[in-house]
Amino acid sequence: MKLSTPLKALAIGGAAYAAASSLVFYELMDKRAKIPTLAFQMSIKGVEPGIADDDERVVWFYNQTFEEFELINADGARLKAYYLPAAEKSDKFLVCSHGYRSNGKAEFRFAGKFLHDSGFNLFIVDHRAAGESEGQYITFGCKEAEDLLLWVKFVNEKFGEDIQIGLYGVSMGCATITTLCGCEDLPENVKFAAADCGYTSAKDEFSYNLQKVHIPDFVI
């Protein structure tokens, strides 16, 4: 059956839309994406240890010795976390959740000294597909929240359930901890969550980024 000219145009347009939107989703979610021309491509400049190394907070932070921990998530990926105890014995633990295309130490290199000096034991994670953790796809807090629950339970098992736990999340990390706060399995000794510059949903993030590259979002 031959397609009419309007149907051909529609088919071509649909294929182009599918290709363009798929490229956007690939760029957003796959950690291997390296396409610099898309409007939302984020540079990793600024998250490396050498950046702002003249700031005394950053110098202090990267001079600390972190204990490293690992666990395997439900998808079989090996995840990494870094532990820095408070200067004096404390039962206050802060589980820190980083943002999109960042990593744990980079995200908290400025705030780390303040939090440490405030008496918190810092437990900083690298989410899936970030930092030294395994995984290929970023899920904007959906799967990251499941992983973070594993870390919270790990902290309880490692340090005892009589401790007090706080959650601190930035950007995608904020979406991760707020998602986690709605989990029925969240241990009762999680006392608070500091939600820093989060967003409403993964769907809204996709819509926002499609519009930034002039791709209409109403179709999907």
Side-chain angles (χ1 to χ4, degrees):
M1 181 180 68
K2 291 185 178 181
L3 294 177
S4 66
T5 299
L7 286 177
K8 286 181 180 178
L10 183 62
I12 293 172
Y17 178 86
S21 57
S22 295
L23 182 62
V24 170
F25 291 135
Y26 165 76
E27 179 74 9
L28 284 171
M29 297 184 68
D30 196 313
K31 73 173 183 180
R32 302 171 302 180
K34 301 291 184 183
I35 305 171
T37 55
L38 294 180
F40 53 79
Q41 173 64 28
M42 298 180 65
S43 170
I44 62 170
K45 183 179 181 182
V47 302
E48 297 299 326
I51 303 299
D53 56 8
D54 58 340
D55 188 298
E56 62 181 13
R57 297 166 298 176
V58 176
V59 172
W60 178 90
F61 185 78
Y62 282 114
N63 280 331
Q64 303 309 300
T65 300
F66 292 84
E67 185 174 359
E68 298 186 1
F69 295 107
E70 294 184 350
L71 62 74
I72 307 297
N73 69 7
D75 296 330
R78 187 179 303 275
L79 307 181
K80 292 290 290 290
Y82 313 92
Y83 173 62
L84 180 64
E88 298 182 2
K89 186 175 177 60
S90 172
D91 69 343
K92 297 186 296 183
F93 284 73
L94 196 61
V95 177
C96 300
S97 172
H98 66 79
Y100 176 71
R101 291 197 183 277
S102 186
N103 61 72
K105 288 184 179 179
E107 190 75 79
F108 297 98
R109 70 195 190 281
F110 289 104
K113 187 176 189 304
F114 168 76
L115 298 170
H116 178 269
D117 292 348
S118 299
F120 287 104
N121 301 295
L122 299 182
F123 196 89
I124 301 172
V125 307
D126 276 350
H127 287 304
R128 58 174 62 204
E132 295 186 32
S133 290
E134 295 177 350
Q136 182 175 340
Y137 296 107
I138 304 164
T139 70
F140 291 84
C142 298
K143 292 291 186 178
E144 287 82 1
E146 296 177 7
D147 296 341
L148 199 63
L149 179 60
L150 295 178
W151 280 122
V152 170
K153 292 180 177 180
F154 175 90
V155 169
N156 272 335
E157 292 172 2
K158 179 69 178 179
F159 300 101
E161 295 185 359
D162 56 341
I163 61 175
Q164 302 180 77
I165 297 177
L167 307 175
Y168 179 20
V170 177
S171 191
M172 187 190 81
C174 173
T176 299
I177 68 165
T178 51
T179 300
L180 178 58
C181 285
C183 177
E184 293 181 355
D185 293 336
L186 189 66
E188 293 184 358
N189 62 334
V190 175
K191 302 298 184 181
F192 71 91
D196 185 347
C197 64
Y199 47 80
T200 53
S201 70
K203 178 179 180 296
D204 286 344
E205 283 296 293
F206 288 136
S207 176
Y208 170 72
N209 282 287
L210 283 170
Q211 292 176 37
K212 283 179 69 175
V213 290
H214 309 294
I215 298 175
D217 67 335
F218 65 88
V219 179
I220 58 169

